[in-house]
Amino acid sequence: MTAMKSHSAHWGVFTADWQQDQLVIQPHPNDRDPSPILQNFTDALRHRARIAAPMVRKGWLERGPGADRMRGRDQFVQLPWDEVLDLLAEELRRVKELHGVESVFGGSYGWSSAGRFHHAQSQVHRFLNNVLGGYVRSRHSYSAGAAEVILPHVLGPLEQIARRNVTWEQIAVHTDIVLAFGGMALKNSQTASGGISNHVERDSMRTAAARGCRFVCISPIYSDLPAESKPEWLAPVPGTDTALMLALVHVLVSEGLHDRSFIDRYCDGWPAFEDYLLGRNDNVPKTPAWAERICEIPAEQIATLARSLVGKRVLVGVSHSLQRAEHGEQPVWMGAVLAAVLGQIGLPGGGYNYALGTLAHYGRRNNLAGPAALSQGVNSIQNFIPVARITDMLLKPGEPFDYDGQQYNYPHIRLAYWAGGNPFHHQQDLNRLAEGIRRLETFVVHESAWTATTRFADIVLPATLTLEREDLGSTATDPTLAAMHRLAEPYGQARDDYSIFCELARCLGGLDAFSEGRNAHEWVEHLYARTRLAWKDKGVALPEFEEFWRVGQLTVPQGEDDGGILRAFRDDPIAHPLPTPSGRIQISSPRVDSFGYDDCPGHPSYLTPVDVPNAEYPLWLVANQPEGRLHSQLDFGAYSQSLKLHGREICRLHPDAAAARGIADGEIVRIFNARGACLAAVRLDAAMRVDVMRLPTGAWFDPVEDEQGRMMCVHGNPNVLTRDVGTSSLAQGSTGQLTAVQVERFAGTLPAITAYDPPRTVSRT
Ligand SMILES: Nc1nc2c(c(=O)[nH]1)N[C@H]1C(S)=C(S)[C@@H](COP(=O)(O)OP(=O)(O)OC[C@H]3O[C@@H](n4cnc5c(=O)[nH]c(N)nc54)[C@H](O)[C@@H]3O)O[C@H]1N2
Ligand SMILES: Nc1nc2c(c(=O)[nH]1)N[C@H]1C(S)=C(S)[C@@H](COP(=O)(O)OP(=O)(O)OC[C@H]3O[C@@H](n4cnc5c(=O)[nH]c(N)nc54)[C@H](O)[C@@H]3O)O[C@H]1N2
Ligand SMILES: [Mo]
């Protein structure tokens, strides 16, 4: 037996070793609720889905760069590394000379892996900036596209409102009522960007509930709060939370139960909002009876809930999911207004914490010193897109789009470069994305496994898995600094993204600008040295690198649980104004109003969505986060596979909805709408709304084509069904969480799952 080695992933800091050729993984000893997602690693390293060698798409090799309908259907040709890197360097040179770097899309959105150095996006951005000279980037995330734009107008930056605000420690001690819009599902808080050594959510909820804290799960799906929180359950129609919140506020205001002095002292823009709330302009007071018709929660229940909040320490939580939908800006804004009306913002365990419970790096203390990061260099190109508008960009070069008060034009992209993300996981309407990708001249992807994205690429470069390299694991919100030791040799000919970019930089004459003369190990040492200096400035002595590397994991001290900018503002609004245009909480926003967007007016409003169930597609599809993996990562791994049925992703359907369609538990169904279709295995679940079905994201897209070339996913990927439109003209965020579908028993011959089989390869002709 070898010594245990330390490593870190987004779902846990751990140690591992090999026992009889089997990788055995042990979560951090302090972890009170370790994530089983770690077990996806155990059989991933040598899985057939790994990419063993550099590959070039046959059509691209034969006909050269250009739009090609064969993308996603073609065979691949294996080439030696030297040759493929020369070809790619030549192509990068060609595109730059002919069209400029403003024709290169390097947004490369995605979660990649946890280490500070081998962070794939930092690597690709650094390469494109320092060696190629720039690229078109993407802004914001699929996580919080709408929240990232609305929050700074009305409360403060996302980072402050989500990550440096109310902690789980405060909830355990102070909170009387948690209104969890979208829940706080433990499946989601398994994950923390950059690593996590202790999952505290389950215990904190248990402790708070034992003290008498009421948890209210406001979600179409009951399991969005754990049993440990002893949840009450309100199940509004999806997409109608803003109406429910408006009605809660209506009760408080009309009964004089709102905190007028808080509103006067800390907020502005109340009168315009009050006119809307009370229906002075539109003759529609936003009463519980009004809301009941929209969200289907009985008016009396809304009124009772509203009254029960008064005088209590109330925390309003709004999950990311609520804003990954049409008009997603509204519940984010309205949640803050509800907390303000209760006078709770800035109190320990009270007020408003956007997205608390959706990821494990929220609700934590922050470390005294932040982690060091690899510099991405400076981008010479101003052009950008809101991240979820990628297909629009590819299909509509030159056309205008609205974003945050201005109009921009989509750039004309010739080459896209991806490392550390999976657009055929994250983007909505995959048939449409395929159309867009087929218009490119060249699509380059670094990946460790044959994801759908690689099958649409022209040049596929095999990347190491995190376990195959050394790195430094460190985040701002976790007290464990982890050496990430190498646990296995690279698979086949796989290389680190860093060494791939070094070789390319050498071909293009920019190696020094990219590498600064360091190899990967020297970079890890260098980043550790910088981290050590930052801690020294805070009076904390960390050991030398050799000692750190030997012990594997260090615990660093964390800062005060000080409530961040909202507490400081509450304590002294003059000395610590909020970073909003007025320095206060903006119940309405003259700036947002001045943009003149019907789909995002100047105060929070309930706006009717377009994509709702109808006679043809009568069910809501909730396409939420998967329990057994992070997005699509390691979907072929043991734990993710153990949660499938007949090898297919499981969708959950209410027994009544199933009975009405003659569907039985365990059967294979076809889920469809006008955009596409997929197959999945059914599990019946009575603890959800009868008009909702749940199909999480992340089953690897596994298409079969009909005569028109329309792809149906035989494995259960919901993004073949979701709609590709922005949240509003303000933020243009992703709306992938909800769509309308129909479901039926699948009666045809069941196509095999081939998503993990490498594509066909041929030798060069
Ligand atoms: N319908 C719908 N769609 C959604 C969502 C939803 O709720 N509903 N959620 C959205 C959200 S919140 C998000 S964040 C996105 C997530 O979208 P992504 O972040 O794109 O999804 P991942 O599967 O994490 O993709 C990461 C990819 O990087 C690869 N990778 C990991 N490490 C490395 C590395 O070191 N080098 C290289 N070259 N590659 C590496 C992995 O193999 C994997 O394929 O999905 C979004 N899509
Ligand atoms: N295991 C695991 N954990 C993850 C991830 C993962 O892929 N796997 N992804 C991580 C990432 S990148 C992110 S951004 C977060 C995402 O965090 P979220 O976006 O909040 O997560 P989801 O699971 O998509 O949605 C949470 C719940 O919201 C409910 N919901 C959907 N629509 C509505 C609605 O209109 N109203 C109400 N009240 N509820 C609604 C659904 O029932 C759903 O289960 O999760 C993170 N955690
Ligand atoms: Mo996300």
Side-chain angles (χ1 to χ4, degrees):
M1 205 171 91
T2 51
M4 297 292 275
K5 290 185 169 177
S6 163
H7 211 82
S8 178
H10 298 305
W11 39 89
V13 173
F14 60 96
T15 50
D17 69 355
W18 291 93
Q19 295 175 6
Q20 281 108 39
D21 285 343
Q22 179 63 39
L23 187 66
V24 177
I25 289 188
Q26 281 183 0
H28 195 279
N30 290 352
D31 198 336
R32 280 182 273 164
D33 192 17
S35 167
I37 295 179
L38 279 174
Q39 303 308 324
N40 280 331
F41 277 131
T42 52
D43 58 346
L45 282 160
R46 299 289 176 268
H47 196 278
R48 72 179 189 285
R50 292 292 308 271
I51 306 171
M55 295 280 177
V56 180
R57 189 171 64 78
K58 185 165 169 275
W60 192 92
L61 199 59
E62 288 171 355
R63 297 185 291 278
D68 194 341
R69 304 210 52 79
M70 283 307 286
R71 280 200 188 97
R73 302 167 171 140
D74 212 349
Q75 301 170 327
F76 283 85
V77 180
Q78 180 177 333
L79 290 187
W81 267 111
D82 286 356
E83 208 174 314
V84 99
L85 290 169
D86 282 344
L87 267 178
L88 175 52
E90 192 46 50
E91 173 60 2
L92 288 168
R93 222 179 264 125
R94 179 192 76 88
V95 170
K96 180 176 175 172
E97 273 166 22
L98 274 180
H99 308 291
V101 290
E102 59 273 26
S103 70
V104 174
F105 184 61
S108 191
Y109 180 82
W111 263 62
S112 55
S113 294
R116 305 303 310 177
F117 174 63
H118 290 289
H119 181 245
Q121 276 69 34
S122 303
Q123 294 284 347
V124 67
H125 295 160
R126 180 179 167 89
F127 169 78
L128 293 174
N129 285 333
N130 292 6
V131 181
L132 199 69
Y135 65 95
V136 173
R137 69 206 150 91
S138 59
R139 281 181 87 158
H140 311 306
S141 63
Y142 283 74
S143 317
E148 280 167 281
V149 181
I150 189 69
L151 278 173
H153 287 297
V154 301
L155 197 59
L158 173 82
E159 170 74 10
Q160 300 292 331
I161 307 305
R163 214 195 270 225
R164 292 171 177 258
N165 189 351
V166 175
T167 59
W168 286 105
E169 291 173 67
Q170 293 171 32
I171 293 174
V173 177
H174 296 287
T175 312
D176 295 322
I177 304 177
V178 176
L179 291 183
F181 288 90
M184 294 173 163
L186 292 182
K187 71 175 172 64
N188 287 351
S189 49
Q190 293 180 86
T191 301
S193 171
I196 177 101
S197 60
N198 186 9
H199 294 82
V200 302
E201 287 76 7
R202 189 189 301 272
D203 264 8
S204 307
M205 288 194 234
R206 186 190 285 124
T207 307
R211 186 178 45 74
C213 177
R214 262 176 84 192
F215 285 84
V216 187
C217 178
I218 303 167
S219 168
I221 299 173
Y222 175 69
S223 59
D224 282 334
L225 269 183
E228 286 83 351
S229 72
K230 305 199 182 104
E232 297 163 33
W233 182 28
L234 288 185
V237 174
T240 66
D241 301 82
T242 306
L244 175 58
M245 294 178 196
L246 279 162
L248 290 169
V249 171
H250 191 280
V251 174
L252 296 169
V253 170
S254 60
E255 299 185 9
L257 299 171
H258 56 317
D259 191 336
R260 267 250 72 110
S261 66
F262 183 89
I263 295 170
D264 289 346
R265 181 145 193 242
Y266 297 104
C267 306
D268 52 22
W270 178 260
F273 173 75
E274 196 186 76
D275 286 347
Y276 169 76
L277 183 75
L278 302 179
R280 291 193 186 111
N281 300 334
D282 59 1
N283 285 322
V284 184
K286 309 305 174 297
T287 60
W290 165 82
E292 177 177 344
R293 288 192 291 277
I294 296 168
C295 68
E296 295 180 3
I297 304 292
E300 197 42 49
Q301 206 178 347
I302 299 175
T304 308
L305 176 61
R307 291 177 199 127
S308 75
L309 304 174
V310 179
K312 295 286 187 338
R313 184 63 53 87
V314 181
L315 177 65
V316 178
V318 167
S319 67
H320 282 311
S321 58
L322 264 67
Q323 52 87 70
R324 204 175 302 109
E326 275 179 81
H327 311 124
E329 296 81 2
Q330 303 308 314
V332 176
W333 194 353
M334 190 57 211
V337 171
L338 172 58
V341 165
L342 292 164
Q344 295 282 299
I345 291 181
L347 289 172
Y352 183 57
N353 198 132
Y354 170 72
L356 184 65
T358 65
L359 284 149
H361 53 263
Y362 300 153
R364 304 305 172 111
R365 291 182 187 226
N366 284 255
N367 292 344
L368 289 173
L374 181 71
S375 158
Q376 302 191 0
V378 179
N379 195 343
S380 66
I381 299 298
Q382 295 304 312
N383 292 358
F384 71 92
I385 55 161
V387 67
R389 301 274 48 81
I390 174 171
T391 309
D392 281 347
M393 170 184 80
L394 296 172
L395 294 179
K396 303 176 186 175
E399 288 189 27
F401 66 92
D402 288 312
Y403 165 77
D404 203 15
Q406 293 201 50
Q407 211 172 56
Y408 302 86
N409 293 87
Y410 288 118
H412 189 160
I413 297 300
R414 317 282 174 157
L415 180 148
Y417 205 125
W418 231 282
N422 187 0
F424 279 85
H425 163 78
H426 60 235
Q427 177 62 1
Q428 285 56 67
D429 198 345
L430 294 178
N431 275 294
R432 189 166 184 260
L433 175 65
E435 286 307 300
I437 293 287
R438 286 174 176 146
R439 303 251 180 119
L440 285 167
E441 294 180 7
T442 298
F443 185 24
V444 188
V445 178
H446 298 189
E447 251 299 349
S448 52
W450 282 108
T451 60
T453 297
T454 59
R455 293 160 205 262
F456 279 82
D458 300 312
I459 299 182
V460 179
L461 302 179
T464 47
L465 273 186
T466 177
L467 302 182
E468 294 163 345
R469 60 200 184 209
E470 298 176 340
D471 213 323
L472 171 64
S474 166
T475 74
T477 49
D478 192 88
T480 301
L481 218 66
M484 294 169 66
H485 294 143
R486 179 180 287 119
L487 281 146
E489 290 306 309
Y491 180 72
Q493 300 180 34
R495 294 184 180 178
D496 299 345
D497 297 293
Y498 177 67
S499 69
I500 298 173
F501 284 129
C502 281
E503 289 306 313
L504 270 179
R506 193 195 311 276
C507 299
L508 292 165
L511 178 58
D512 286 347
F514 182 72
S515 74
E516 296 178 28
R518 296 188 188 94
N519 65 26
H521 182 81
E522 287 161 348
W523 267 108
V524 175
E525 264 194 75
H526 174 70
L527 290 183
Y528 179 79
R530 277 177 32 204
T531 306
R532 191 164 170 256
L533 266 182
W535 280 100
K536 191 168 168 226
D537 279 351
K538 302 282 175 192
V540 177
L542 298 187
E544 298 274 1
F545 179 78
E546 287 69 25
E547 175 64 6
F548 162 63
W549 205 250
R550 194 185 60 75
V551 298
Q553 290 165 8
L554 304 174
T555 306
V556 293
Q558 295 202 289
E560 292 297 308
D561 186 10
D562 63 4
I565 60 169
L566 295 179
R567 178 86 51 81
F569 170 65
R570 184 179 187 110
D571 290 347
D572 189 344
I574 307 300
H576 303 291
L578 291 179
T580 59
S582 70
R584 294 169 152 229
I585 299 165
Q586 299 212 227
I587 306 279
S588 52
S589 163
R591 182 174 293 173
V592 172
D593 194 45
S594 76
F595 300 158
Y597 298 142
D598 290 345
D599 55 3
C600 188
H603 53 73
S605 313
Y606 174 71
L607 305 166
T608 316
V610 172
D611 187 16
V612 297
N614 53 37
E616 218 174 338
Y617 307 116
L619 294 173
W620 288 98
L621 181 74
V622 171
N624 62 355
Q625 313 302 310
E627 182 179 347
R629 59 185 173 259
L630 174 63
H631 313 133
S632 71
Q633 295 196 33
L634 307 179
D635 182 35
F636 49 83
Y639 184 60
S640 180
Q641 288 298 316
S642 76
L643 299 186
K644 304 206 183 216
L645 187 62
H646 316 307
R648 286 169 223 251
E649 196 64 21
I650 292 178
C651 69
R652 292 191 181 266
L653 192 61
H654 192 280
D656 295 349
R661 293 165 176 81
I663 297 169
D665 188 76
E667 286 184 323
I668 302 293
V669 290
R670 177 172 165 268
I671 310 168
F672 59 100
N673 63 18
R675 280 174 293 280
C678 70
L679 305 184
V682 163
R683 278 277 177 246
L684 301 187
D685 184 349
M688 50 195 266
R689 280 183 63 97
V690 64
D691 57 354
V692 160
M693 71 183 297
R694 174 193 176 213
L695 179 64
T697 58
W700 278 19
F701 186 53
D702 198 349
V704 294
E705 289 185 31
D706 63 16
E707 303 78 50
Q708 286 85 45
R710 267 199 114 56
M711 300 180 289
M712 169 175 88
C713 176
V714 305
H715 185 195
N717 188 310
N719 274 329
V720 76
L721 300 159
T722 51
R723 187 160 163 262
D724 182 15
V725 289
T727 50
S728 81
S729 314
L730 185 87
Q732 300 283 9
S734 160
T735 54
Q737 181 81 191
L738 299 173
T739 192
V741 296
Q742 179 57 294
V743 60
E744 64 184 16
R745 249 181 76 215
F746 181 69
T749 319
L750 205 51
I753 307 280
T754 59
Y756 313 120
D757 300 334
R760 277 181 306 152
T761 52
V762 288
S763 26
R764 194 164 7 172
T765 44

